[in-house]
Amino acid sequence: MNAQDKVRQEIAGFLNQPVSALKDEIILSDLVTNSFVLVEMVIELQEAFGVRFTHEDLRDLKSVGQLSQLVASRLRETAQ
């Protein structure tokens, strides 16, 4: 299982959604209508994967695919 699949699993667990519902093109604000919950989810992802995001990282983030790619890229950076 790759990092992006693991991210989708974490998101699914946090939102109590099936992983199959988390396609890359799904807009995060469609999944999470409360911005506080979205912030909590991002914090959970940072803790689960041992990565950190900046405000710039998150500013243009729109979809599940973009979020999973961001986590995967941070994991690659920390592995180097």
Side-chain angles (χ1 to χ4, degrees):
M1 177 180 308
N2 66 33
Q4 290 178 297
D5 291 335
K6 290 178 185 177
V7 172
R8 277 189 280 280
Q9 280 188 331
E10 286 288 326
I11 294 170
F14 183 83
L15 298 175
N16 203 21
Q17 295 278 329
V19 175
S20 61
L22 300 176
K23 305 293 182 204
D24 283 347
E25 63 276 0
I26 299 292
I27 303 300
L28 291 169
S29 61
D30 290 344
L31 284 174
V32 183
T33 56
N34 182 326
S35 61
F36 182 71
V37 174
L38 186 57
V39 169
E40 283 185 42
M41 183 177 73
V42 169
I43 291 169
E44 289 284 328
L45 289 171
Q46 290 181 111
E47 291 175 358
F49 291 97
V51 297
R52 292 287 171 247
F53 308 128
T54 65
H55 289 295
E56 290 78 27
D57 293 334
L58 302 173
R59 183 181 14 200
D60 297 324
L61 203 62
K62 302 278 188 249
S63 69
V64 169
Q66 289 173 328
L67 180 56
S68 63
Q69 288 173 0
L70 175 61
V71 174
S73 72
R74 287 294 180 270
L75 286 171
R76 283 190 298 273
E77 289 171 6
T78 59
Q80 295 177 355

